[in-house]
Each structure stands twice: as structure tokens, then as C-alpha cells.
Amino acid sequence: MVKGDLEMDYDFVSDYKDNEVLRKSFNDLSEKTFGINFEEWYQKDMWNDRYICFSFKKDNEIVANISVNKVEFMINGEIKKALQLGTVMVAENHR
């Protein structure tokens, strides 16, 4: 639990894609922030263990997030592994 300047309690959660309540809240925040929604991606089994959300929540509302996408690519014939950070967002009323 993290205490913010406004004395609100936040809980840290990660890898909650199979939690319908938290996934919906994540999608709501991503729609408000970027105009995108990951639900279709999830429903088509495309949201796998390579994309992991790390979020703070207040009650059952995702209020801040950064996601890690595990990627592999080839450079000069060698497979390289990397992490891509994305979907960085904070709900306006929690900034």
C-alpha cells in the first residue's frame, strides 16, 4: 500500500489480465488516455504473458499504469531480447 500526497491508499497490482473488473478498469483508463481498448485483443487470446501491466489501483479502479512488453528481434543473425515500456498513464484525478 502506498500513501500519496492526498492521503489516499493505493494498492500495487500486476498481471491481472484475467481479472475482469481490473481489466475493464484498465481499458477504461486506456480509452480515456489514448482512445484505445485492449478487450478485443484479450478476447482473441492475443494478450499473453509477453504483455504485463504494472498498476496502482484505488479500490477496484486502475489509476496509474506502465506496461512491459517482452520482445525478441534479430540483429545480424542473433536473436536479441528486450523490454518495451508502454501504456504509461495516470488518471487525471490522481495526478
Side-chain angles (χ1 to χ4, degrees):
M1 192 175 305
V2 177
K3 287 275 192 179
D5 290 339
L6 300 175
E7 294 300 316
M8 298 176 130
D9 293 332
Y10 297 91
D11 293 311
F12 178 75
V13 293
S14 65
D15 198 21
Y16 51 84
K17 67 182 175 290
D18 295 323
N19 179 314
E20 188 172 346
V21 171
L22 293 181
R23 188 178 68 250
K24 179 183 181 325
S25 181
F26 169 83
N27 281 320
D28 289 346
L29 182 57
S30 68
E31 277 194 16
K32 289 175 190 169
T33 306
F34 302 114
I36 58 175
N37 187 309
F38 293 84
E39 188 61 23
E40 184 177 351
W41 191 35
Y42 176 81
Q43 293 301 327
K44 291 182 176 181
D45 290 326
M46 296 170 62
W47 187 340
N48 56 34
D49 293 337
R50 297 173 66 94
Y51 183 80
I52 305 168
C53 297
F54 295 89
S55 305
F56 282 104
K57 70 179 183 83
K58 171 78 173 137
D59 301 320
N60 278 322
E61 178 188 2
I62 300 298
V63 298
N65 182 75
I66 187 167
S67 295
V68 172
N69 191 30
K70 300 175 188 177
V71 295
E72 291 183 358
F73 53 96
M74 190 172 292
I75 298 178
N76 296 327
E78 279 188 58
I79 294 178
K80 302 289 184 179
K81 294 182 180 186
L83 298 176
Q84 176 187 31
L85 302 178
T87 326
V88 179
M89 53 191 177
V90 179
E92 192 171 329
N93 59 335
H94 291 272
R95 292 179 188 163

